[in-house]
Amino acid sequence: MSKIVSPHIAAINEELLYFIWQHKLYKNQLVTTCGMQVEVIGTGVLNTAEGPDFSMAELRIGDKIWYGSVEIHVHTTDWDKHNHSHNVSYDNVILHVVYHHDGSISKPNTGMPTLELRPHISHSLLSRYRSLVKRKKDLPCTDFIKKDSFESQQGWIQRLFIERLEYKTKRIDRVHVRTIQHWEHTLFVCLASSYGLVANRTAFEEMALSIPYKLVQYLCKDSIQLEATLMGRSGLLSTGEEDSYRTDLASKYAFVEHKYQLQSKASIAVKFGRIRPQNFPTIRLSQFAVLYHTHQGSLFSKLLGCNNLDEIRSLFQVESNPYWEDHYMFGKTTLKKSKKRMSDNWINVMISNTLVPLLHLYYNTLGIDKVDHLLNIVGHLPPENNTHIRTFVQAGVSAPQNMLTSQAMVTLKTNYCDHYQCLKCRIAYGIITSN
């Protein structure tokens, strides 16, 4: 006959028990199953690899102080189910912490005591935890979160942003490897990716990688020649309405391709579908060409020379070549002329998502700690307004005042809330442990 498990116990998991142990969220005097008192001097360090759950713990058990590892399970008998008795990595366990003591174990070191936590955990704590993880809403804590829940956690905000910064920095580092550690070329490729937005990010990145940077620097002398090469490498000159401008670009690109023996074009086709005309790849590539013509291929050097945010922004305040003032595609004239510039919002987001991670990688390579400087840059950018941010605001949280906070919100939503990682969230910690 199978053992009947209480629904109360079934709702418990080891992650919750780690959380309770790590933050000492138990009450009353702890006593082992054999009657010895336990004082937790140091909970130890949570281990995310193989081996006992916490290492370097310091405990007073009875009248002796012990140093070693702590293993945590829902049931005592889980020790044998996980085959710990036959694994030497667990020989230094000084305390077996369980939620429910349901029997003995076959560990050769029979002196290892067991501590049952169930009598020491408040029902209100468990109730609040269940309320969070069972809610099928955009935010598990929608019914508990307060207006100042986010702004009151400045350390948590910075940690979330740095988590996002490290993720983006790793991606840029992979590009840096592909450019043979050439900083100007790395910036060229990363900016191309940013200019492509979501729809053409990968296509633009592969296109930029397909052009040797020495050639880019040479072509920067002529914005039309550079535009022709960017569009030719992106496959935009072989199709479309026939007109003199496209014919001229195709001719210029054919010359460059032959003279410099360029290899095959980027294999990922650019997209026009479901994109607003001002973001068409033709417009974006023309703006990108003018940007590099304006700075003559030395944009990274100029970026390092900027002393403030306004100087950084000014680097990117360029517009497309004149042909595109009344065109979005080749051969199709618009009724009204308009200068095609990058929006201030796009520039701000690009600074945070591309330039700051690139500078972070650069300073790390030199062994210089500039994290506070980079946090200050993002902290002076206006906040984003996207679906993730609106989810928090609709739940009653104060709208973010800068991009540091808004990007921290995005990280919290995508890395934690969407995966019910409440036990790793400082806001949820406050909810679970509140009286």
Side-chain angles (χ1 to χ4, degrees):
M1 180 181 293
S2 61
K3 184 182 296 185
I4 298 176
V5 179
S6 162
H8 181 69
I9 296 176
I12 304 298
N13 58 63
E14 288 185 3
E15 281 197 347
L16 175 59
L17 296 177
Y18 300 158
F19 177 81
I20 291 170
W21 175 261
Q22 190 170 21
H23 298 286
K24 298 184 177 180
L25 300 177
Y26 36 75
K27 58 185 180 179
N28 305 327
Q29 176 64 53
L30 301 178
V31 181
T32 67
T33 56
C34 58
M36 292 188 293
Q37 290 190 349
V38 177
E39 178 189 353
V40 181
I41 302 170
T43 59
V45 178
L46 180 62
N47 175 30
T48 57
E50 292 185 5
D53 297 316
F54 286 84
S55 59
M56 296 186 290
E58 182 179 356
L59 310 174
R60 184 188 298 276
I61 304 175
D63 58 356
K64 294 182 179 180
I65 293 180
W66 296 77
Y67 299 90
S69 299
V70 172
E71 179 67 7
I72 297 178
H73 289 122
V74 176
H75 300 93
T76 306
T77 53
D78 289 340
W79 179 280
D80 286 330
K81 290 178 182 177
H82 298 170
N83 293 316
H84 294 335
S85 295
H86 307 289
N87 188 334
V88 294
S89 299
Y90 292 83
D91 286 350
N92 69 336
V93 172
I94 58 175
L95 182 66
H96 187 205
V97 178
V98 303
Y99 180 72
H100 175 53
H101 182 52
D102 64 339
S104 59
I105 61 174
S106 59
K107 179 175 169 54
N109 176 14
T110 55
M112 180 190 69
T114 298
L115 168 66
E116 183 180 40
L117 278 182
R118 182 164 58 162
H120 306 286
I121 302 173
S122 71
H123 292 296
S124 59
L125 183 150
L126 296 178
S127 177
R128 286 190 292 271
Y129 170 71
R130 292 193 193 96
S131 295
L132 288 179
V133 298
K134 286 184 178 181
R135 293 186 184 276
K136 303 300 181 184
K137 296 183 178 181
D138 288 335
L139 294 179
C141 58
T142 294
D143 296 338
F144 303 96
I145 201 165
K146 298 177 181 179
K147 184 177 181 180
D148 64 344
S149 292
F150 211 81
E151 289 295 344
S152 63
Q153 296 282 352
Q154 288 300 313
W156 177 235
I157 290 172
Q158 288 195 4
R159 176 183 158 186
L160 288 168
F161 178 79
I162 291 173
E163 181 180 325
R164 183 179 178 86
L165 175 62
E166 293 293 345
Y167 171 79
K168 290 183 176 297
T169 301
K170 287 179 182 178
R171 177 185 171 278
I172 290 176
D173 191 28
R174 290 193 291 270
V175 173
H176 194 49
V177 171
R178 295 182 70 183
T179 64
I180 322 298
Q181 286 77 44
H182 191 296
W183 289 109
E184 290 286 2
H185 195 187
T186 299
L187 177 59
F188 178 74
V189 174
C190 292
L191 281 176
S193 177
S194 295
Y195 269 75
L197 300 179
V198 175
N200 288 304
R201 179 179 299 156
T202 305
F204 277 26
E205 181 175 306
E206 292 302 317
M207 174 275 297
L209 283 165
S210 76
I211 308 173
Y213 197 69
K214 285 186 178 180
L215 177 57
V216 172
Q217 291 175 308
Y218 174 76
L219 296 174
C220 282
K221 298 175 184 177
D222 183 346
S223 67
I224 303 297
Q225 184 75 76
L226 180 56
E227 180 179 312
T229 303
L230 297 178
M231 292 198 181
R233 300 303 289 167
S234 299
L236 290 173
L237 301 179
S238 55
T239 59
E241 297 287 336
E242 198 69 43
D243 75 353
S244 58
Y245 187 70
R246 189 177 76 84
T247 301
D248 181 48
L249 292 184
S251 176
K252 290 179 182 296
Y253 172 63
F255 171 78
V256 170
E257 185 180 39
H258 175 73
K259 180 177 180 178
Y260 296 99
Q261 298 181 334
L262 296 180
Q263 301 299 316
S264 58
K265 303 172 188 175
S267 59
I268 303 174
V270 297
K271 301 173 184 176
F272 284 85
R274 297 185 179 181
I275 300 175
R276 294 178 179 178
Q278 61 265 33
N279 293 329
F280 276 180
T282 46
I283 304 300
R284 289 292 188 167
L285 288 176
S286 180
Q287 293 165 335
F288 191 50
V290 174
L291 174 71
Y292 268 80
H293 166 67
T294 301
H295 301 295
Q296 292 296 293
S298 300
L299 189 54
F300 185 73
S301 298
K302 291 188 177 182
L303 174 63
L304 293 178
C306 290
N307 296 310
N308 53 58
L309 190 54
D310 287 339
E311 289 183 6
I312 296 175
R313 286 193 182 105
S314 68
L315 295 175
F316 298 90
Q317 292 170 347
V318 299
E319 57 194 44
S320 59
N321 280 314
Y323 172 84
W324 299 105
E325 290 180 8
D326 57 358
H327 290 80
Y328 289 107
M329 301 180 72
F330 291 113
K332 295 183 178 180
T333 307
T334 58
L335 295 176
K336 294 182 180 180
K337 281 191 173 186
S338 63
K339 294 186 181 298
K340 309 297 193 303
R341 301 184 180 93
M342 305 307 301
S343 69
D344 291 341
N345 181 64
W346 180 88
I347 292 174
N348 289 331
V349 173
M350 180 275 300
I351 290 172
S352 180
N353 288 344
T354 301
L355 300 188
V356 167
L358 178 64
L359 289 172
H360 184 49
L361 177 64
Y362 174 73
Y363 291 129
N364 280 350
T365 302
L366 297 179
I368 301 173
D369 183 2
K370 285 276 192 174
V371 172
D372 288 343
H373 169 66
L374 298 176
L375 290 175
N376 183 59
I377 290 175
V378 182
H380 282 84
L381 292 171
E384 299 166 282
N385 181 19
N386 54 42
T387 55
H388 299 308
I389 306 303
R390 290 192 289 274
T391 296
F392 282 100
V393 173
Q394 289 166 5
V397 177
S398 298
Q401 299 301 305
N402 55 57
M403 194 170 293
L404 178 65
T405 303
S406 68
Q407 293 217 333
M409 281 184 171
V410 172
T411 303
L412 179 60
K413 179 67 170 61
T414 56
N415 291 4
Y416 295 82
C417 303
D418 289 351
H419 304 284
Y420 289 90
Q421 294 294 306
C422 303
L423 297 177
K424 298 177 181 178
C425 171
R426 292 302 302 174
I427 295 173
Y429 172 84
I431 294 170
I432 294 171
T433 60
S434 63
N435 294 323

